[in-house]
Amino acid sequence: MAEENAAFSAVPESPFSDTKSPGVVLPAKLAKQEWDDIKPVKKPKGRRCQRYVEKDGHCNVQHGNMQETYRYLMDIFTTLVDLKWRYSLLVFIMAYAVTWLFFGVIWWFIAYCRGDLEHLEDQTWTPCVNNLNGFVSAFLFSIETETTIGYGHRVITDKCPEGIILLLLQAILGSMVNAFMVGCMFVKISQPNKRAETLVFSSHCVISLRDDRLCLMFRVGDLRNSHIVEASIRAKLIKSKQTLEGEFIPLNQTDIDVGFDTGDDRLFLVSPLIICHEINEQSPFWEISRERLEKDDFEIVVILEGMVEATGMTCQARSSYLVDEVLWGHRFMPVLMLEDGFYEVDYNAFHQTFEVPTPSCSARELAEAAARLDAYLYWSIPSQLDEKAEEMDNSRGGDGGLIARENIEKEHKLSEEQNGTLTGPENESKV
């Protein structure tokens, strides 16, 4: 029995024995000047990898060889809103200029066909539009009609039915152009894209121990005093993979749990927060160690969503981290300081990290080492008892060893009863 228990009682190798980043554990509370004096540790630059999402949130994807471009015209409003500002302003100006010019040509053509231009000095002639003596005056009359300015110098008469019909058409079409273009400009101006400029992410994400578990962490913050309502955070792992059948999936997206089940993904973003992903059996980083991390190739995309408090429109901020931007054995500097009657956020330390003792093994190896340590503690006492009994058995013979083993077990039970850890048979019968 001693030999069997000895297999479980072997002292496991400590995962902390091969720590590559010993670092210095900082005190819990330091003065603000002392925090400023600590210089952040920067990871050396490695290979250059192509980003899927840029640091500023722009997706580095371009669409090519699109055959069905007519679909953009089917949703012309969204197409105009998505245009760059210089193109949007050009479309805005051209929409009004073309309609004014188009109806100005028609007004001039009506005056030309009726002969109004040939009877400009004839006081007895009733023209279609008074004081319309050429193309320039027809163009100005078109602007006055569509914009409802009405200076009073040029006016349509009741002797021109075709002019009355054209007046109605221009008034209706002008209202439609106004509604469409003003709507596009309003939506484009009120887009919450610029609100994302004041939502910041840490320049690096870190991996270190938190509550004796390896965790991947990054920090988010809001620079404005107006808050993001119903803010939520999510993360994706972008990494190419190959299936068991041999299919290659480029840029495969895998969810990274940042607290969806516990509700930790819903943020109250008043001050900077550290988002934590616990590396467990369901995590894609379960088998990644420090050595493997340096050789791996992936990208972590983080997405922060919420409603702008001032406008109620949904805002989304994005960022990403490459392998070279993942610091193993680091922790973020504290940025929240208690001042006289308020809390102050020091954004100078927002991106700064410092080294902490962290095992270089993977989370799986760390869990297996902890399991071996538990097994060693569980079997250590029985194995010691068996070893003592065998020693006495060899020294006194078989019967003496048996009696000695019984005496040792009785002494062990008696000590447990005295300590209150074991209920004896007499106590059980009394109960």
Side-chain angles (χ1 to χ4, degrees):
M1 182 176 180
E3 295 178 356
E4 295 177 357
N5 292 337
F8 292 94
S9 60
V11 180
E13 297 180 2
S14 175
F16 297 93
S17 59
D18 188 23
T19 303
K20 295 185 179 180
S21 58
V24 179
V25 179
L26 297 179
K29 293 183 179 180
L30 290 178
K32 183 177 180 181
Q33 183 62 33
E34 294 178 353
W35 282 116
D36 295 338
D37 295 338
I38 300 177
K39 296 182 179 180
V41 180
K42 295 184 179 180
K43 190 173 182 179
K45 294 183 179 180
R47 61 188 184 279
R48 174 63 179 171
C49 299
Q50 183 62 53
R51 288 186 179 274
Y52 187 66
V53 177
E54 299 291 341
K55 296 293 286 186
D56 57 0
H58 290 85
C59 297
N60 194 16
V61 178
Q62 295 182 0
H63 302 282
N65 298 326
M66 293 183 298
Q67 303 297 330
E68 300 178 350
T69 55
Y70 66 90
R71 295 182 181 271
Y72 288 99
L73 298 178
M74 296 177 65
D75 187 13
I76 187 64
F77 185 82
T78 305
T79 302
L80 293 177
V81 172
D82 291 340
L83 288 176
K84 295 182 179 180
W85 267 107
R86 54 180 176 269
Y87 299 122
S88 296
L89 293 176
L90 179 62
V91 172
F92 184 84
I93 295 173
M94 292 300 297
Y96 284 103
V98 169
T99 53
W100 295 339
L101 185 61
F102 174 74
F103 284 101
V105 171
I106 297 179
W107 285 115
W108 175 84
F109 184 74
I110 292 176
Y112 175 79
C113 294
R114 295 183 76 255
D116 296 342
L117 301 179
E118 300 176 356
H119 301 80
L120 296 177
E121 303 298 333
D122 190 356
Q123 300 296 329
T124 61
W125 182 265
T126 304
C128 183
V129 178
N130 289 330
N131 301 313
L132 195 150
N133 52 15
F135 176 76
V136 176
S137 59
F139 179 71
L140 294 176
F141 179 72
S142 175
I143 296 176
E144 296 173 14
T145 302
E146 189 167 333
T147 57
T148 65
I149 294 177
Y151 291 116
H153 182 65
R154 281 175 288 271
V155 60
I156 191 172
T157 61
D158 56 356
K159 303 297 183 179
C160 183
E162 60 272 19
I164 296 175
I165 297 175
L166 181 61
L167 179 64
L168 295 176
L169 292 176
Q170 187 173 4
I172 296 173
L173 185 61
S175 299
M176 295 175 62
V177 172
N178 288 333
F180 190 82
M181 298 311 301
V182 172
C184 287
M185 289 295 105
F186 176 78
V187 172
K188 193 170 184 64
I189 291 173
S190 60
Q191 276 185 321
N193 295 341
K194 295 302 180 181
R195 180 62 177 90
E197 298 294 333
T198 53
L199 297 174
V200 293
F201 297 87
S202 58
S203 59
H204 294 81
C205 63
V206 300
I207 295 179
S208 61
L209 288 175
R210 176 176 281 192
D211 296 332
D212 292 333
R213 294 179 180 272
L214 280 177
C215 296
L216 182 141
M217 294 168 284
F218 58 92
R219 183 148 60 187
V220 297
D222 188 3
L223 301 180
R224 287 188 178 272
N225 293 326
S226 60
H227 308 306
I228 296 294
V229 182
E230 296 183 2
S232 62
I233 189 77
R234 53 194 175 98
K236 292 280 189 180
L237 175 65
I238 309 298
K239 183 179 181 180
S240 301
K241 63 173 291 187
Q242 188 171 5
T243 62
L244 298 177
E245 295 78 13
E247 179 187 2
F248 179 74
I249 304 177
L251 302 178
N252 182 62
Q253 299 184 11
T254 305
D255 281 331
I256 299 177
D257 185 17
V258 289
F260 178 78
D261 296 332
T262 60
D264 292 337
D265 62 327
R266 293 182 286 274
L267 310 178
F268 182 52
L269 199 58
V270 177
S271 61
L273 300 176
I274 296 178
I275 310 301
C276 178
H277 163 66
E278 180 181 332
I279 303 178
N280 51 26
E281 294 85 348
Q282 289 75 33
S283 173
F285 307 103
W286 175 241
E287 299 182 353
I288 291 183
S289 62
R290 180 171 186 171
E291 182 179 359
R292 182 177 173 182
L293 177 66
E294 295 174 354
K295 301 178 181 178
D296 212 337
D297 185 13
F298 60 81
E299 183 177 355
I300 301 173
V301 177
V302 293
I303 305 170
L304 176 62
E305 294 178 325
M307 291 191 302
V308 181
E309 187 178 32
T311 62
M313 302 185 70
T314 303
C315 172
Q316 184 182 93
R318 297 180 295 267
S319 186
S320 68
Y321 302 98
L322 296 177
V323 177
D324 296 337
E325 297 169 340
V326 180
L327 304 180
W328 188 285
H330 285 244
R331 191 178 296 164
F332 285 107
M333 291 274 192
V335 295
L336 196 61
M337 306 294 177
L338 178 59
E339 300 294 338
D340 187 12
F342 62 92
Y343 292 96
E344 181 183 0
V345 178
D346 181 16
Y347 278 99
N348 289 329
F350 183 84
H351 301 284
Q352 296 180 5
T353 63
F354 60 93
E355 286 188 282
V356 293
T358 305
S360 59
C361 62
S362 64
R364 179 178 181 178
E365 295 172 346
L366 187 63
E368 291 175 352
R372 291 197 301 269
L373 182 61
D374 292 340
Y376 166 74
L377 295 176
Y378 179 78
W379 291 103
S380 60
I381 295 178
S383 62
Q384 293 174 4
L385 295 176
D386 292 338
E387 289 175 357
K388 291 181 180 180
E390 287 183 359
E391 290 176 358
M392 298 182 67
D393 189 16
N394 295 330
S395 62
R396 298 181 180 180
D399 295 337
L402 181 60
I403 295 172
R405 182 183 299 177
E406 292 178 354
N407 292 334
I408 293 174
E409 291 180 354
K410 287 181 181 180
E411 292 177 0
H412 179 64
K413 291 182 180 180
L414 182 61
S415 62
E416 289 182 346
E417 289 176 1
Q418 292 176 355
N419 295 330
T421 59
L422 182 64
T423 303
E426 296 179 357
N427 295 335
E428 292 180 357
S429 61
K430 290 180 181 180
V431 175

